Amino acid sequence: MESLMINVIIGIVVGLIMSFTLNRVYKKKKKVDKGFVLSYYKLSYRRKLIRNLWQLPPSLIVLIAIIIIFDIPNTASVLLMSLFILAGLIHCLLLYRKWKQEERNTKIK
């Protein structure tokens, strides 16, 4: 159990470092709004919203599988599912606001 926690913490730290680095690299670059792009950070806010919306259902299925496989108690699983859904919806709402704000700013220019 202890080695699992260490691996989880290392994974989170590496993920945060990579996210921060990629965010800085693509910050001032032109964002892509059409076609396939592997890097999330190259996408416009509209495309980020679309990607997040189609990734929510598969992510929810994976979360349910993790809850079943690791036999997480009911109260913890309900809390985990609620937090996941709430975080996903809040993130989508924020992306929607940024998309509309970006749209208004481009019309003004």
Side-chain angles (χ1 to χ4, degrees):
M1 185 68 164
E2 187 176 310
S3 65
L4 178 65
M5 290 302 292
I6 291 171
N7 288 338
V8 167
I9 291 171
I10 290 172
I12 290 171
V13 169
V14 169
L16 288 173
I17 290 171
M18 287 299 298
S19 180
F20 178 76
T21 304
L22 288 171
N23 192 23
R24 299 291 289 190
V25 167
Y26 292 112
K27 191 164 193 102
K28 299 293 182 183
K29 300 211 176 170
K30 184 168 171 47
K31 305 298 182 186
V32 177
D33 198 42
K34 291 185 180 177
F36 177 76
V37 176
L38 188 59
S39 176
Y40 181 80
Y41 300 97
K42 279 182 146 180
L43 295 174
S44 66
Y45 287 114
R46 183 181 80 85
R47 290 287 302 280
K48 285 180 182 180
L49 175 64
I50 292 168
R51 183 178 280 190
N52 281 357
L53 287 174
W54 72 259
Q55 282 182 342
L56 275 176
S59 300
L60 195 61
I61 291 169
V62 168
L63 183 62
I64 291 170
I66 289 171
I67 288 171
I68 291 170
I69 290 169
F70 289 105
D71 197 27
I72 298 174
N74 285 341
T75 54
S77 64
V78 167
L79 180 66
L80 192 62
M81 294 286 283
S82 301
L83 287 174
F84 177 81
I85 292 169
L86 184 65
L89 290 176
I90 288 172
H91 188 69
C92 286
L93 287 173
L94 290 173
L95 286 173
Y96 180 78
R97 285 182 58 203
K98 289 282 228 175
W99 167 35
K100 290 301 180 180
Q101 182 180 20
E102 185 180 64
E103 217 174 52
R104 276 188 303 245
N105 290 342
T106 55
K107 285 182 182 177
I108 292 173
K109 292 180 180 179

